[in-house]
């Protein structure tokens, strides 16, 4: 199943820089691993915001929830999920 996911990150302003850097490094490693596995198909930055749009291909709602909740930045995110289906006018 395909999902379009918007993730908005809001780290606390008083979080020590070293802690933020460590969380971001774990986030990057996890995201890249999921991309290599073919679960995180696309990752796009939202210009001018600490946010992204991503496309995931996972087997179920529960699988997506488990994947997202394991993100190191998850406690600092607002997430919106849109399930996707093929469009009848698409040539792909």
């Amino acid at each position: 199943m395909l999902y379009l996911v918007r993730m908005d990150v809001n780290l606390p302003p008083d979080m020590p820089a070293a802690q933020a850097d460590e969380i971001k490094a774990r986030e990057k490693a996890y995201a890249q691993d999921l991309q290599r596995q073919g679960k995180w198909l696309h990752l796009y930055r939202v210009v001018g915001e600490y946010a992204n749009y991503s496309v995931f291909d996972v087997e179920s709602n529960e699988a997506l929830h488990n994947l997202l909740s394991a993100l190191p930045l998850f406690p600092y995110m607002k997430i919106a999920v849109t399930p996707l289906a093929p469009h009848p006018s698409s040539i792909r």
Side-chain angles (χ1 to χ4, degrees), residues 4 9 17-18 20 23 27 30 32 34 42-43 49-52 54 56 61 63-64 69 72 74 76 81 87 90-91:
L4 176 66
V9 180
I23 294 169
E27 180 87 6
Y30 181 57
Q32 290 179 344
L34 291 171
H42 302 283
L43 173 57
E49 299 180 34
Y50 194 175
N52 73 75
S54 295
F56 291 89
N61 294 340
L64 180 64
S69 63
F74 180 77
Y76 311 103
V81 176
H87 193 285
S90 175
I91 61 170

Side-chain angles (χ1 to χ4, degrees), residues 26-27 30 64-74:
R26 287 190 293 120
E27 180 87 6
Y30 181 57
L64 180 64
H65 176 78
N66 291 338
L67 182 151
L68 294 175
S69 63
L71 289 166
L73 286 171
F74 180 77

Side-chain angles (χ1 to χ4, degrees), residues 2-89:
L2 293 176
Y3 298 90
L4 176 66
V5 179
R6 179 176 169 126
M7 294 178 249
D8 292 88
V9 180
N10 186 21
L11 292 175
D14 60 344
M15 178 180 280
Q19 181 183 358
D21 290 346
E22 188 271 332
I23 294 169
K24 291 176 197 177
R26 287 190 293 120
E27 180 87 6
K28 182 176 182 177
Y30 181 57
Q32 290 179 344
D33 183 52
L34 291 171
Q35 290 172 70
R36 287 184 196 95
Q37 292 178 42
K39 294 179 181 182
W40 197 325
L41 300 182
H42 302 283
L43 173 57
Y44 298 98
R45 173 180 288 168
V46 178
V47 176
E49 299 180 34
Y50 194 175
N52 73 75
Y53 279 103
S54 295
V55 177
F56 291 89
D57 186 3
V58 295
E59 57 276 7
S60 66
N61 294 340
E62 183 178 2
L64 180 64
H65 176 78
N66 291 338
L67 182 151
L68 294 175
S69 63
L71 289 166
L73 286 171
F74 180 77
Y76 311 103
M77 288 183 177
K78 176 183 171 192
I79 298 175
V81 176
T82 305
L84 300 173
H87 193 285
S89 296

